[in-house]
């Protein structure tokens, strides 16, 4: 095989692998769930209201015990928060940037814990759906229905 041809094949393969790695890092989509909830058995309690602004648009206002989500691509996201700790306090604006782990798609951020200076292991977790099927109540048998009212009884003669 010609050396020149071998270099072109190797260069092409290297370029394809580099593009794949770049797309994996930059183009990976994530869903970020933002909570304004108290964490049990800790001093982190929910705030009165938190305004979420993403890419210059107000997404929502989180009241106490509420959650909202933002979908984005990339490995970091920047959000502006309008924080109101109590009903009588004024709104404090803060811009925050979260770096997202590569192995997580649904990330839950507890904003009160984050804003009060908690460790990442306290305020960040992976989203787990609470829709759990109770397998003890699931019937394995499929009921037989006779939608045409045809019965299997013997004909009377």
């Amino acid at each position: 095989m010609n050396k020149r041809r071998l270099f072109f094949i190797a260069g092409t393969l290297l370029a394809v692998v580099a593009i794949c790695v770049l797309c994996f890092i930059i183009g990976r989509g994530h869903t970020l769930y933002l909570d304004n909830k108290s964490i049990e058995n800790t001093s982190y309690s929910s705030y009165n209201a938190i305004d979420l602004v993403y890419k210059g648009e107000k997404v929502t206002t989180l009241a106490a015990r509420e959650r909202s989500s933002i979908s984005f691509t990339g490995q970091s996201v920047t959000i502006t928060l309008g924080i109101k700790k109590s009903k009588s306090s004024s709104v404090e604006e803060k811009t925050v940037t979260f770096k997202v782990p590569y192995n997580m798609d649904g990330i839950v951020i507890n904003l009160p814990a984050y804003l009060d200076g908690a460790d990442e292991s306290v305020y960040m977790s992976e989203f787990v759906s609470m829709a759990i099927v109770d397998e003890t109540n699931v019937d394995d048998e499929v009921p037989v229905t006779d939608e045409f009212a045809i019965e299997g009884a013997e004909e009377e003669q």
Side-chain angles (χ1 to χ4, degrees):
M1 191 183 273
N2 188 342
K3 284 186 178 182
R4 182 177 176 196
R5 183 176 180 191
L6 186 63
F7 284 130
F8 276 115
I9 292 172
T12 303
L13 287 176
L14 186 64
V16 168
V17 169
I19 290 170
C20 289
V21 168
L22 186 66
C23 288
F24 177 75
I25 293 171
I26 294 174
R28 174 122 163 79
H30 300 280
T31 303
L32 184 69
Y33 297 96
L34 299 159
D35 283 351
N36 184 15
K37 298 180 181 181
S38 300
I39 299 177
E40 292 180 18
N41 303 322
T42 65
S43 63
Y44 306 117
S45 58
S46 60
Y47 290 3
N48 184 52
I50 301 175
D51 293 330
L52 300 177
V53 179
Y54 177 60
K55 291 186 176 180
E57 274 187 45
K58 183 176 177 180
V59 176
T60 190
T61 298
L62 291 175
R65 298 178 304 279
E66 285 188 342
R67 171 182 285 172
S68 185
S69 66
I70 296 172
S71 296
F72 65 97
T73 56
Q75 291 309 121
S76 66
V77 61
T78 301
I79 301 168
T80 303
L81 305 173
I83 306 156
K84 190 171 181 182
K85 289 189 177 190
S86 64
K87 288 183 180 182
S88 61
S89 66
S90 62
V91 176
E92 174 189 339
E93 275 200 16
K94 186 172 186 178
T95 301
V96 296
T97 300
F98 297 106
K99 299 227 182 260
V100 179
Y102 293 105
N103 60 343
M104 288 186 187
D105 176 36
I107 300 109
V108 179
I109 302 288
N110 184 284
L111 290 174
Y114 174 78
L115 294 169
D116 289 345
D119 191 312
E120 185 177 288
S121 62
V122 175
Y123 72 79
M124 183 183 290
S125 62
E126 190 166 8
F127 178 76
V128 178
S129 177
M130 297 304 286
I132 299 173
V133 177
D134 184 11
E135 294 182 14
T136 58
N137 294 333
V138 177
D139 291 333
D140 290 335
E141 296 179 20
V142 178
V144 178
T145 59
D146 192 4
E147 63 185 66
F148 297 110
I150 301 174
E151 296 182 13
E154 295 178 1
E155 294 180 22
E156 294 182 24
Q157 293 182 355

